Amino acid sequence: MAQRDYYEVLGVSKSATADEIKSAYRKLAMKYHPDRNPDDANAETLFKEAAQAYDVLSDPNKRARYDQYGEAGLGGQSYGNYTNVNDIFSAFGDIFGQSMFGDMFGGGQRSRGPRSRKEPGADLRVRLGLTLEEIATGVDKTIKIRHYRTCSTCSGSGAGSDSGYATCTACSGTGEVRQVSRSVFGQFINIAPCAQCSGSGEILRDRCKSCEGEGRIEGESSVKVTIPAGVRTGNYLSVTGKGHAGRRGGEAGDAIVVMEEIEHELFERHEDDVIMHMTIDVPTASLGGTVTVPTLEGEAELDVEPGTQPGSTLRLKSKGIPHLNSRGRGDQLIEINVHIPTKLTSDERKVMESLRNAKNFTPPDQRTSSGFFSKVKEAFS
């Protein structure tokens, strides 16, 4: 093909950048495109010549060999086998964007065919309240949801009979309409979904009376879910196909079940530990003993050491919340308070009077305590 210098063909200097080479080729391709020059027999030759030059100069390796040895340095492979214009479209159409060798010169947008009349349904969010006891053990729940269900009369099609749908006359069943326009650059073809049938290619002539052609109706369903132990507020489960049914037979969405912890009257959750407050009597706090403590799974025995102080925190190992998706569980923490009676019988008063001045029942003098000044210093530092 081309015998002229490739830089001369594209009209660029030998120091031209890759962008300058691409821009020059684009201009020549538009200028000599055969569709724009139907009466010029020489246009196709010039168009192919420009493609040959661009093929070499746009490739850094080919360009380097060409600069050093000329066309001979390409070993007979100076350009692709561009025997026709379509070969060039396939090789270089991408540098012009989507429309250069398509819409602009008559290729047009590709037809996608009719769309499905079925529309997918939306997901549905459901909040599920759980007690800490349920969270600690895991639980199976059946929940009722209100959502769009598939119409049983028409089985979701929306049609009142087997012949309820007819071919759309506006698009002849293709689901698309085309508009052709011409300009100095060639022929433009615009393809858009048919407005009459919304791109489905079908028109609903006979609507189902139960759902008015929607293919779905409002209703209530029961959904069973298995909640694993250890969940917390904000965790969720997705139940496939239990959301809103789609229009006219479309696939149903999912039911998204979001967990919410119900506030407990005794326990407060901190991560996977649970905390409770417990009041014990003075003798038990002084002498020690065993007390019965409520837990999330029944009752347990708690050992109280002699001399346990108000505000102390005792621990029951592994009586908290199981770790979600892993082994082990948290602890139960018991914050101790000591009950001080407000009313005493005469016998009780005598006992307490006898203890008033007992050595071990007399608190240390805070003013002379070795820790008093250090605590004051810490408080004001």
Side-chain angles (χ1 to χ4, degrees), residues 307-361:
T308 296
Q309 300 297 307
S312 299
T313 299
L314 306 183
R315 184 183 300 267
L316 285 173
K317 295 288 292 184
S318 300
K319 291 296 184 180
I321 304 294
H323 303 318
L324 182 63
N325 298 326
S326 65
R327 295 180 179 179
R329 60 192 302 162
D331 300 331
Q332 179 169 324
L333 306 179
I334 302 96
E335 294 186 354
I336 298 296
N337 187 25
V338 177
H339 172 66
I340 305 298
T342 57
K343 293 182 179 181
L344 298 174
T345 65
S346 58
D347 290 339
E348 291 170 341
R349 182 175 291 277
K350 290 178 182 179
V351 172
M352 298 304 294
E353 286 290 350
S354 67
L355 296 174
R356 182 191 294 274
N357 297 318
K359 178 180 179 181
N360 289 328
F361 281 84

Side-chain angles (χ1 to χ4, degrees), residues 241-314:
K242 294 299 183 179
H244 291 296
R247 294 182 70 245
R248 298 180 179 177
E251 184 177 357
D254 299 337
I256 312 300
V257 183
V258 183
M259 315 301 165
E260 284 189 348
E261 295 178 14
I262 299 174
E263 186 176 352
H264 201 280
E265 61 180 355
L266 290 179
F267 302 109
E268 181 180 334
R269 181 175 181 176
H270 286 259
E271 298 297 332
D272 286 337
D273 293 334
V274 293
I275 299 176
M276 66 166 292
H277 299 273
M278 186 173 188
T279 301
I280 61 176
D281 55 60
V282 172
T284 301
S286 302
L287 302 174
T290 300
V291 296
T292 301
V293 178
T295 72
L296 292 173
E297 297 178 339
E299 294 183 338
E301 298 298 315
L302 175 67
D303 292 329
V304 179
E305 295 293 328
T308 296
Q309 300 297 307
S312 299
T313 299
L314 306 183

Side-chain angles (χ1 to χ4, degrees), residues 45-369:
T45 299
L46 295 174
F47 185 76
K48 293 177 181 178
E49 183 182 49
Q52 172 187 338
Y54 179 73
D55 179 74
V56 173
L57 300 184
S58 63
D59 185 311
N61 292 328
K62 289 181 182 179
R63 183 178 179 182
R65 293 198 302 271
Y66 180 74
D67 288 344
Q68 188 169 4
Y69 302 109
E71 193 166 342
L74 301 173
Q77 297 181 349
S78 58
Y79 56 87
N81 296 319
Y82 304 135
T83 57
N84 58 61
V85 173
N86 288 333
D87 290 337
I88 298 174
F89 294 167
S90 298
F92 302 129
D94 60 326
I95 73 166
F96 297 93
Q98 188 175 5
S99 65
M100 169 65 179
F101 290 141
D103 303 344
M104 187 173 289
F105 297 117
Q109 299 175 15
R110 293 184 179 180
S111 174
R112 297 181 180 178
R115 302 175 181 177
S116 173
R117 65 170 180 264
K118 301 178 180 180
E119 297 180 12
D123 292 340
L124 177 69
R125 291 177 65 88
V126 182
R127 295 192 175 275
L128 177 61
L130 298 169
T131 65
L132 281 181
E133 286 85 355
E134 291 172 330
I135 291 172
T137 59
V139 64
D140 291 331
K141 287 278 192 177
T142 299
I143 56 179
K144 291 184 177 181
I145 58 173
R146 291 200 60 81
H147 62 155
Y148 284 111
R149 302 173 54 188
T150 300
C151 176
S152 58
T153 304
C154 64
S155 299
S157 70
S161 63
D162 293 339
S163 57
Y165 283 93
T167 300
C168 176
T169 56
C171 64
S172 301
T174 64
E176 301 171 334
V177 291
R178 300 188 176 203
Q179 294 180 336
V180 181
S181 60
R182 296 182 179 275
S183 72
V184 294
F185 295 106
Q187 176 176 285
F188 289 87
I189 301 176
N190 181 51
I191 301 176
C194 175
Q196 185 166 325
C197 65
S198 300
S200 69
E202 297 177 312
I203 296 294
L204 183 58
R205 301 295 187 189
D206 179 18
R207 297 178 180 271
C208 172
K209 292 181 174 57
S210 297
C211 63
E212 297 296 328
E214 285 287 301
R216 61 183 186 177
I217 57 175
E218 290 189 61
E220 188 176 85
S221 298
S222 295
V223 177
K224 293 183 178 181
V225 291
T226 297
I227 309 300
V231 298
R232 65 180 65 246
T233 295
N235 289 158
Y236 65 90
L237 293 175
S238 179
V239 186
T240 303
K242 294 299 183 179
H244 291 296
R247 294 182 70 245
R248 298 180 179 177
E251 184 177 357
D254 299 337
I256 312 300
V257 183
V258 183
M259 315 301 165
E260 284 189 348
E261 295 178 14
I262 299 174
E263 186 176 352
H264 201 280
E265 61 180 355
L266 290 179
F267 302 109
E268 181 180 334
R269 181 175 181 176
H270 286 259
E271 298 297 332
D272 286 337
D273 293 334
V274 293
I275 299 176
M276 66 166 292
H277 299 273
M278 186 173 188
T279 301
I280 61 176
D281 55 60
V282 172
T284 301
S286 302
L287 302 174
T290 300
V291 296
T292 301
V293 178
T295 72
L296 292 173
E297 297 178 339
E299 294 183 338
E301 298 298 315
L302 175 67
D303 292 329
V304 179
E305 295 293 328
T308 296
Q309 300 297 307
S312 299
T313 299
L314 306 183
R315 184 183 300 267
L316 285 173
K317 295 288 292 184
S318 300
K319 291 296 184 180
I321 304 294
H323 303 318
L324 182 63
N325 298 326
S326 65
R327 295 180 179 179
R329 60 192 302 162
D331 300 331
Q332 179 169 324
L333 306 179
I334 302 96
E335 294 186 354
I336 298 296
N337 187 25
V338 177
H339 172 66
I340 305 298
T342 57
K343 293 182 179 181
L344 298 174
T345 65
S346 58
D347 290 339
E348 291 170 341
R349 182 175 291 277
K350 290 178 182 179
V351 172
M352 298 304 294
E353 286 290 350
S354 67
L355 296 174
R356 182 191 294 274
N357 297 318
K359 178 180 179 181
N360 289 328
F361 281 84
T362 302
D365 188 340
Q366 298 297 317
R367 294 170 297 177
T368 60
S369 172

Side-chain angles (χ1 to χ4, degrees), residues 18-30:
D19 288 339
E20 290 172 338
I21 290 172
K22 181 185 292 188
S23 176
Y25 173 53
R26 175 179 167 83
K27 292 178 182 179
L28 290 175
M30 294 180 66

